[in-house]
Amino acid sequence: MVTCVCDEGVWESSFKVFEAECRLDIAREIYRNPEPWKHWLEVSKVWRPSYEEQDCPPPEVLLRRIDASTIDGDSAWAFRIHEIKTVTRLASLT
């Protein structure tokens, strides 16, 4: 699971769910194609191509920066990649 949480809460557009072998695989996908992630990367200050470095950092660096991102109460979002180990299925109500 990938989340990008702003201080206003969690919304449908603030998380994505992926099936991957590990967190690093998701960081590799972000590195391979950063465009769909650009907004999250910028507001979490993980990578801001318009302000700083032009090339997306390598996956290992991305993951370290993602883990270090925080909500500042004003404009920065925390970006996290969480591994989901257990999914609980609800019993059918019908």
Side-chain angles (χ1 to χ4, degrees):
M1 175 198 257
V2 179
T3 59
C4 195
V5 181
C6 60
D7 54 334
E8 286 88 24
V10 178
W11 308 100
E12 181 180 357
S13 61
S14 69
F15 69 94
K16 300 176 185 203
V17 178
F18 292 91
E19 186 172 343
E21 291 296 318
C22 63
R23 293 172 359 110
L24 187 57
D25 283 350
I26 296 172
R28 287 180 181 126
E29 176 60 21
I30 295 169
Y31 175 75
R32 186 188 69 73
N33 185 16
E35 193 58 36
W37 302 89
K38 192 172 180 180
H39 179 69
W40 285 14
L41 294 166
E42 287 183 343
V43 296
S44 63
K45 299 179 182 163
V46 169
W47 175 52
R48 300 186 308 163
S50 55
Y51 299 100
E52 298 162 357
E53 57 202 325
Q54 291 301 311
D55 295 329
C56 187
E60 295 81 4
V61 173
L62 273 175
L63 200 51
R64 280 196 305 273
R65 290 183 186 181
I66 288 168
D67 289 343
S69 68
T70 60
I71 297 172
D72 71 2
D74 184 30
S75 60
W77 295 6
F79 189 164
R80 292 290 181 268
I81 299 175
H82 298 284
E83 181 181 353
I84 299 172
K85 296 180 181 178
T86 303
V87 175
T88 303
R89 205 172 275 281
L90 294 177
S92 175
L93 299 176
T94 59

